[in-house]
């Protein structure tokens, strides 16, 4: 594709980096360090989106993505995945951009990339959603997590303050039974951003949701707090105590973050600290638990394999006395 057309596509599709500023979003600001952590994550996401939209192929985009700081690279890959999913969805006959991206260096960030694909869903008509849902029957649920994050991040009043829940009929039939849980995990991740990593504000927001949604929300909180950072050890321990009966869900989210960081080849200090606070275990142990939970993993009579995976991890942490 000609350079001018690529530049035009990048300019038209890429969100403004100001959209990641907490003041623009109307999110709570705890302190400058937390603001920096969250805004850097959001702006890296947008930068990665631009890398994908402004280059002719996933391989060319990878050259730019790999130059980004290691702690933020996963967010950039997440943004690039959103761009490829969106571009696939906008093509009348569909596309293979996301699949090619996941077959390359995107494989090291496969969890974040699947989440990023879900960001594209609200930007497309619903009838196009099946065309961009990742094919992996296990990880495609992370796209619904990404959808939930997007909605809570950009439509905070409706999805966070009003606790809106989408009706089941918007989802493809095979996803309807578990979609609300995967979406709520994404909303839980977004709460970490909306609350500005402040435990007091996060608890105020989370406790406003119906009790039957808390477990999935806590799982998302654990993932975001561990992956994105922005909180001190004492604050993380406060969250663990406040989670109460949902400590295993919080720990499961932390274990997901540990595995994602380990697979990408870089574990920031804040991830190790959070996983230790939530799971009372090491990064290596937490990641190993997620791998062990994949053994002979299949759908159960009432739950998809993804839900069984999450439950196995939580149960394992409980058995070890970690939660």
């Amino acid at each position: 594709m000609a350079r001018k057309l690529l530049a035009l596509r990048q300019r038209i599709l890429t969100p403004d980096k100001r959209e990641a500023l907490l003041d623009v979003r109307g999110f709570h600001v705890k302190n400058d360090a937390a603001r920096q952590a969250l805004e850097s994550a959001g702006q890296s996401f947008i930068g990665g989106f631009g890398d994908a939209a402004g280059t002719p192929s996933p391989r060319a985009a990878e050259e730019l993505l790999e130059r980004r700081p290691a702690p933020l690279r996963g967010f950039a890959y997440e943004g690039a995945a959103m761009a490829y999913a969106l571009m696939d969805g906008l093509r009348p006959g569909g596309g293979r951009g996301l699949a090619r991206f996941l077959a390359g260096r995107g494989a090291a960030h496969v969890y974040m990339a699947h989440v990023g694909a879900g960001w594209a869903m609200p930007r497309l008509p619903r009838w196009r959603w099946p065309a961009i849902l990742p094919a992996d029957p296990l990880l495609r649920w992370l796209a619904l997590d990404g959808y939930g994050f997007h909605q809570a991040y950009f439509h905070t009043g409706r999805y966070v303050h009003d606790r809106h829940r989408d009706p089941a009929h918007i989802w493809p039939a095979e996803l309807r039974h578990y979609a609300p849980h995967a979406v709520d995990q994404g909303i839980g991740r977004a709460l970490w951003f909306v609350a500005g990593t402040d435990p007091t504000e996060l608890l105020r927001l989370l406790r406003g949701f119906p009790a039957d949604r808390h477990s999935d929300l806590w799982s998302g909180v654990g993932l975001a707090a561990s992956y994105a950072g922005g909180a001190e050890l004492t604050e993380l321990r406060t969250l663990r105590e406040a989670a109460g009966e949902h400590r295993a869900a919080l720990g499961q989210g932390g274990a997901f973050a540990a595995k994602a960081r380990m697979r990408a080849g870089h574990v920031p200090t804040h991830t190790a600290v959070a996983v230790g606070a939530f799971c009372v275990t090491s990064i290596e142990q937490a990641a190993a638990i997620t791998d062990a939970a994949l053994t002979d993993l299949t759908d159960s009579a009432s739950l998809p394999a993804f839900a069984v995976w999450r439950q196995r991890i939580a149960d394992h942490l409980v058995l070890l006395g970690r939660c």
Side-chain angles (χ1 to χ4, degrees):
M1 188 181 296
R3 184 175 300 176
K4 287 185 178 180
L5 288 178
L6 286 170
L8 178 62
R9 183 175 75 178
Q10 183 183 51
R11 188 165 62 251
I12 291 173
L13 294 181
T14 306
D16 189 322
K17 283 195 173 182
R18 289 175 296 182
E19 290 295 310
L21 300 179
L22 299 193
D23 290 342
V24 171
R25 299 258 55 82
F27 294 168
H28 179 73
V29 177
K30 182 180 71 176
N31 56 41
D32 287 341
R35 181 204 294 270
Q36 176 66 23
L38 298 182
E39 291 182 347
S40 295
Q43 292 182 339
S44 294
F45 180 102
I46 295 170
F49 186 110
D51 290 343
T55 49
S57 68
R59 179 168 293 184
E62 289 167 0
E63 296 302 317
L64 301 178
L65 293 166
E66 288 296 314
R67 296 175 193 169
R68 296 190 173 273
L72 297 170
R73 197 172 296 149
F75 296 108
Y77 270 87
E78 182 184 6
M82 177 192 177
Y84 286 118
L86 183 62
M87 290 187 289
D88 286 349
L90 290 173
R91 292 188 177 97
R96 295 280 300 163
L98 180 61
R100 288 196 295 269
F101 181 63
L102 290 170
R105 290 181 178 175
H109 303 272
V110 65
Y111 306 112
M112 298 296 284
H114 277 75
V115 169
W119 278 63
M121 296 170 70
R123 307 295 178 101
L124 293 166
R126 285 210 304 267
W127 61 271
R128 292 296 293 159
W129 290 4
I132 67 164
L133 274 171
D136 188 305
L138 178 66
L139 298 184
R140 71 185 320 193
W141 293 101
L142 289 173
L144 275 67
D145 176 309
Y147 168 91
F149 185 101
H150 177 284
Q151 298 301 75
Y153 192 87
F154 289 104
H155 306 289
T156 311
R158 189 178 191 205
Y159 282 84
V160 175
H161 302 303
D162 294 341
R163 277 84 65 180
H164 172 76
R165 197 170 212 174
D166 292 309
H169 69 76
I170 75 168
W171 303 106
E174 70 274 16
L175 302 180
R176 286 176 188 167
H177 62 304
Y178 191 71
H181 299 280
V183 171
D184 272 353
Q185 182 175 303
I187 292 174
R189 286 195 305 113
L191 290 181
W192 188 244
F193 286 73
V194 177
T197 82
D198 185 332
T200 301
E201 178 66 7
L202 185 138
L203 291 171
R204 183 187 72 81
L205 294 171
L206 191 150
R207 287 170 175 166
F209 285 81
D212 64 349
R213 300 179 67 178
H214 286 189
S215 181
D216 295 311
L217 294 171
W218 274 112
S219 174
V221 169
L223 205 167
S226 302
Y227 196 95
E232 301 294 332
L233 177 58
T234 54
E235 295 175 312
L236 298 168
R237 286 174 174 167
T238 295
L239 282 178
R240 183 175 184 272
E241 291 305 309
E245 64 180 308
H246 303 296
R247 285 181 190 171
L250 181 72
Q252 176 265 308
F256 265 16
K259 178 59 184 178
R261 287 294 194 180
M262 287 282 290
R263 180 164 179 147
H266 178 81
V267 181
T269 299
H270 68 252
T271 299
V273 170
V275 170
F278 295 156
C279 305
V280 198
T281 189
S282 69
I283 284 285
E284 293 79 9
Q285 276 186 307
I289 288 169
T290 69
D291 288 339
L294 290 169
T295 303
D296 298 324
L297 184 65
T298 60
D299 294 345
S300 73
S302 59
L303 293 173
F306 182 77
V308 177
W309 188 30
R310 289 179 61 196
Q311 190 59 54
R312 282 183 179 180
I313 294 168
D315 290 346
H316 198 129
L317 291 170
V318 170
L319 286 172
L320 291 174
R322 305 303 192 189
C323 295

